[in-house]
Amino acid sequence: MTDAAIAAAVEAVRAADVVTVLTGAGMSAESGVPTFRDVATGVWAKYDPMTVATPEAWEADPALVWAWYQRRRALVQAVQPNAGHHALARWASRADVGVVTQNVDDLHERAGSSDVIHLHGSLFACRCDMCERPHSVAVIDPDGDRLTPPECECGGQVRPGVVWFGEELPHNAFAEATARATGCDVFVLVGTSGVVYPAAGLAHTARDAGATVIEINPQETELSEVCDITIRSTAATALPAIAGTASG
Ligand code: OAD
């Protein structure tokens, strides 16, 4: 079953001029970064997103939020890109393959992908919560639950450069991702549950524009029904199998 799906995917990408890949937390799972919604190990199984990933949480307790994101930065910094990230980077170096990610880690870049579109921002791109000036921040793995965020010259506080619940996606990133979804021949979903919009809507956008939609995910998702090909395997297994044989 998986072999047949991979063969169908290989055929689809061989015939494609333009490929767009949308990645989610499952892309980095085999690197050791927990996903959000896994019932046992998921980030949101341990933490209520409302207490760490909303503007209200930041307003109420910035030190708690800052410590939480510093811990996530430290975790990401300590792991490595997996075979899926590497396969995608090599594939994009020889074909028109664009990467759009919901992930806030930097594992695509560290595997060699350039021009990655980050729909939900980045753990490593902090900015002032008042004047929006960018700040680079040293990664510290905090001992306790709270860590005071650095101060900006303007008197504001430095906040994580990620998109929180209730915030809008970066306008340019979403516009570019929509153009990539509309203009591709094949749209590949990797490791996303497809429940967070507007990112998940890109699969519908691609499908409506005529692309063949492929899903790589060990589990069925909310988006499985809009997919032409579903590969029930992991990112680190399926991406090398597809990308390694695709001419583009
Ligand atoms: P989720 O945690 O919702 O979904 C992860 C998906 O990855 C699930 O469908 C898993 O079955 C799948 N998965 C697990 N291991 C995998 C593997 N090795 N290979 C391939 N797939 C695997 O994560 P996202 O869909 O990325 O947003 O979540 C979307 C957004 O919700 C995140 O960007 C984040 C979160 O709240 C914000 O923080 C704004």
Side-chain angles (χ1 to χ4, degrees):
M1 189 65 178
T2 305
D3 286 352
I6 286 182
V10 167
E11 198 178 316
V13 297
R14 275 195 182 145
D17 291 323
V18 181
V19 176
T20 299
V21 182
L22 174 66
T23 66
M27 179 78 226
S28 300
E30 287 154 288
S31 291
V33 183
T35 64
F36 292 98
R37 294 182 179 77
D38 185 279
V39 286
T41 62
V43 173
W44 298 152
K46 294 207 188 97
Y47 300 93
D48 175 356
M50 295 306 128
T51 64
V52 286
T54 61
E56 292 76 18
W58 178 250
E59 193 135 314
D61 197 343
L64 180 82
V65 174
W66 187 252
W68 194 78
Y69 279 96
Q70 277 289 35
R71 208 168 297 119
R72 294 205 63 209
R73 282 184 202 107
L75 183 150
V76 166
Q77 224 175 40
V79 303
Q80 301 302 324
N82 64 54
H85 294 105
H86 287 295
L88 207 44
R90 282 194 301 272
W91 189 14
S93 70
R94 60 189 159 77
D96 189 348
V97 179
V99 180
V100 180
T101 190
Q102 298 166 86
N103 296 344
V104 293
D105 65 44
D106 59 352
L107 295 175
H108 284 303
E109 286 86 353
R110 280 161 56 197
S113 286
S114 50
D115 302 325
V116 177
I117 300 173
H118 280 270
L119 290 176
H120 293 165
S122 162
L123 281 173
F124 301 100
C126 300
R127 66 173 191 272
C128 173
D129 66 357
M130 277 168 52
C131 72
E132 310 240 309
R133 186 181 316 194
H135 284 262
S136 58
V137 167
V139 177
I140 303 161
D141 194 356
D143 287 333
D145 283 347
R146 284 184 172 73
L147 195 62
T148 306
E151 235 182 64
C152 180
E153 296 85 325
C154 78
Q157 289 180 302
V158 178
R159 60 158 280 176
V162 302
V163 176
W164 284 324
F165 289 98
E167 292 187 318
E168 277 184 24
L169 268 51
H171 184 73
N172 287 350
F174 191 65
E176 283 172 34
T178 301
R180 285 271 349 166
T182 310
C184 67
D185 304 302
V186 167
F187 189 82
V188 190
L189 289 160
V190 185
T192 180
S193 57
V195 298
V196 174
Y197 281 76
L202 293 168
H204 295 274
T205 303
R207 181 71 200 265
D208 292 347
T212 299
V213 182
I214 301 172
E215 173 173 76
I216 298 173
N217 197 313
Q219 310 282 336
E220 191 173 340
T221 74
E222 298 285 319
L223 293 173
S224 297
E225 65 183 26
V226 304
C227 295
D228 300 286
I229 301 167
T230 50
I231 301 173
R232 294 281 164 251
S233 178
T234 72
T237 301
L239 273 171
I242 295 169
T245 55
S247 56

